[in-house]
Amino acid sequence: MAKILFLTTAHNYDDDRIFYHQAKELKSQGHEVMVSSLCSDFQGVIEGVLIQSFGILTLSSKEKTEKFRNICTSFSPDCIICSEPLAVIATKEYTKYRKAPVLYDITEWYPSKRMLKNYSFFGKLFHFIKFGLIQLYAGFISSAFIFGEHTKKFPLAYLFPRKLKLVLPYFPSEIYIQKNIKKLKANEITLCYTGEISKEKGIDNFFNASRALRKKRPLLQIKILIIGGARSEGEQFHFENLVKMYKWANVSIQKPTPFAKFTESFSEADICFDLRTSNIENNHCLPIKIFYYAAAGKPVIYTDLKATREFVNVSKFGYLVNPENSNLIADYIIQYIENTDLYDKHAVAARKEYEGKYNWEIIRRSFTDFVTLFIHKD
């Protein structure tokens, strides 16, 4: 069996895709697996997977690259799976003397708006070109590509058409799912928002829809469940001010939960929402929690994004909407309240869609076969 190393700068060592699905799957096949991250400090073994994680994300690119180089040298992997361009580039020196394939797992839009937001207009232009060239170089030196979704294939899949590639969606494993198909209570609804709390991710649209619902149904008991946190002080301040405006609602705010407990954390939700802003970047990024909501048996109301529309048949268990059309969103919620058979149908269909199309057990073999293909080539 082979030694397989995961390198990531921006994801935690216990990331749901990297650790809970990919690393554990390869470990179950008998491989020796290590995950190395630069987000936080932890060295040890979790469920048989070696972890070498260091909280050095704020250091220079040179220092981060050197850390990854040292990890490669000490672990001596037969195959390396990288999640960011810097991680790919850091493997180059190791692969000069050790013929090890480097698989680039592309799950983020690169360069992202977040990477550019602190620069001036001309600074944004310069760094967009700079980061774009780094991305192209990482694609050039990679052995093959794994794409989290079809919309992330641009531009690397088209610039390097001869390189092997795999589309590996973010489907959850059943072992991390708590199914909770609910029946609507009379005159009561629980609306749920999870993840990063920010205006771009849709927290304002979520509250606006709740307010529109209250205006249309003033006697309805509206419960709001929010699970997550803000990334900045500014976003936290904005969120706290929003909450103060909604004293009429029963608002429950919970901190982000461990991945394995995620579906359990929103078990009391009746409808789950993702009303993020519709822009070029979001339009090409599939909000992956939709698969966890479906697995738990929750109807959803989501922003009508290209990536979501093309990959998931949301009409079977929810609605795609203009996130700023609060009145229409409220009308969809009222449809569920007034037609509980429709709600029951969508809840059952959500779970059925997960079982038939969107679960890890369907795609796990394609992942392990892809990785072992390159190990055997070596």
Side-chain angles (χ1 to χ4, degrees):
M1 289 295 158
K3 298 175 72 173
I4 301 173
L5 173 63
F6 288 85
L7 297 179
T8 177
T9 57
H11 296 82
N12 287 321
Y13 62 86
D14 58 351
D15 176 78
D16 59 333
R17 178 179 177 90
I18 295 172
F19 176 78
Y20 282 100
H21 289 91
Q22 295 179 339
K24 287 185 62 177
E25 185 65 32
L26 290 170
K27 177 62 181 177
S28 72
Q29 299 296 314
H31 300 294
E32 184 178 351
V33 182
M34 174 185 283
V35 175
S36 182
S37 167
L38 304 184
C39 285
S40 58
D41 283 305
F42 181 84
Q43 291 83 46
V45 180
I46 302 177
E47 299 187 50
V49 177
L50 301 172
I51 306 293
Q52 290 290 317
S53 182
F54 307 90
I56 59 171
L57 198 55
T58 58
L59 297 186
S60 68
S61 296
K62 182 179 179 181
E63 291 171 299
K64 289 184 285 190
T65 300
E66 186 62 27
K67 176 59 73 174
F68 277 153
R69 286 173 179 166
N70 292 337
I71 290 290
C72 288
T73 301
S74 61
F75 186 61
S76 191
D78 301 301
C79 178
I80 307 172
I81 303 176
C82 301
S83 299
E84 297 87 15
L86 186 143
V88 174
I89 294 169
T91 67
K92 188 177 180 182
E93 184 175 307
Y94 174 76
T95 56
K96 282 182 180 179
Y97 65 86
R98 175 68 184 273
K99 189 180 178 183
V102 177
L103 311 184
Y104 185 9
D105 185 17
I106 301 159
T107 62
E108 304 292 340
W109 191 259
Y110 192 93
S112 67
K113 288 177 61 178
R114 183 175 294 157
M115 296 172 64
L116 303 172
K117 69 177 183 178
N118 293 327
Y119 297 107
S120 65
F121 173 79
F122 291 106
K124 282 183 171 65
L125 180 62
F126 171 78
H127 283 88
F128 178 83
I129 296 172
K130 174 186 173 182
F131 292 140
L133 291 174
I134 293 172
Q135 170 79 324
L136 295 182
Y137 181 59
F140 174 73
I141 65 177
S142 300
S143 306
F145 303 124
I146 302 173
F147 296 101
E149 52 204 273
H150 286 281
T151 48
K152 299 283 176 61
K153 293 170 70 174
F154 180 84
L156 296 184
Y158 305 97
L159 292 174
F160 306 102
R162 301 181 71 177
K163 293 192 176 186
L164 293 180
K165 55 192 69 68
L166 170 71
V167 176
L168 187 78
Y170 314 86
F171 299 163
S173 172
E174 179 65 15
I175 63 175
Y176 305 120
I177 300 301
Q178 178 174 297
K179 182 173 69 171
N180 195 306
I181 297 176
K182 293 188 66 181
K183 294 283 187 179
L184 288 183
K185 296 179 181 179
N187 202 41
E188 181 182 307
I189 194 82
T190 301
L191 314 178
C192 181
Y193 174 110
T194 71
E196 179 187 333
I197 297 174
S198 69
K199 187 172 184 178
E200 183 183 1
K201 295 298 183 182
I203 191 64
D204 291 66
N205 295 329
F206 175 71
F207 273 116
N208 288 339
S210 303
R211 181 169 57 186
L213 176 62
R214 185 196 182 217
K215 186 175 181 180
K216 290 172 180 284
R217 291 292 186 273
L219 299 180
L220 177 67
Q221 184 180 355
I222 301 173
K223 295 183 178 181
I224 294 175
L225 174 61
I226 297 176
I227 304 166
R231 285 180 175 266
S232 67
E233 291 184 3
E235 292 288 2
Q236 180 63 30
F237 179 75
H238 176 69
F239 172 59
E240 290 173 355
N241 284 335
L242 274 178
V243 173
K244 290 177 182 178
M245 296 168 56
Y246 289 80
K247 293 181 179 179
W248 47 265
N250 181 350
V251 181
S252 173
I253 304 170
Q254 301 177 18
K255 293 181 179 179
T257 59
F259 168 73
K261 298 289 186 180
F262 177 58
T263 55
E264 181 181 339
S265 69
F266 62 81
S267 61
E268 293 305 308
D270 293 314
I271 308 171
C272 293
F273 292 77
D274 191 313
L275 299 176
R276 66 184 64 193
T277 302
S278 180
N279 55 42
I280 292 177
E281 184 172 317
N282 284 343
N283 215 32
H284 291 81
C285 296
L286 178 64
I288 62 177
K289 288 192 295 291
I290 195 168
F291 302 120
Y292 292 84
Y293 296 151
K298 304 297 181 182
V300 302
I301 297 180
Y302 260 58
T303 297
D304 187 6
L305 300 174
K306 177 183 177 181
T308 310
R309 184 171 61 250
E310 292 184 353
F311 196 82
V312 184
N313 188 358
V314 177
S315 65
K316 290 194 173 184
F317 59 98
Y319 299 96
L320 292 178
V321 298
N322 175 346
E324 297 179 2
N325 193 338
S326 303
N327 285 318
L328 178 60
I329 297 169
D331 287 340
Y332 282 140
I333 299 171
I334 291 170
Q335 280 188 33
Y336 282 139
I337 295 170
E338 294 182 343
N339 184 356
T340 56
D341 287 343
L342 174 64
Y343 178 86
D344 295 342
K345 178 182 177 181
H346 278 194
V348 171
R351 175 66 189 185
K352 186 176 180 180
E353 287 291 290
Y354 157 74
E355 292 175 344
K357 299 179 181 179
Y358 306 130
N359 70 78
W360 173 250
E361 283 64 35
I362 292 174
I363 62 172
R364 64 198 310 168
R365 183 66 181 271
S366 65
F367 170 66
T368 55
D369 286 352
F370 191 75
V371 174
T372 54
L373 171 67
F374 286 90
I375 294 171
H376 291 158
K377 278 187 176 182
D378 185 41

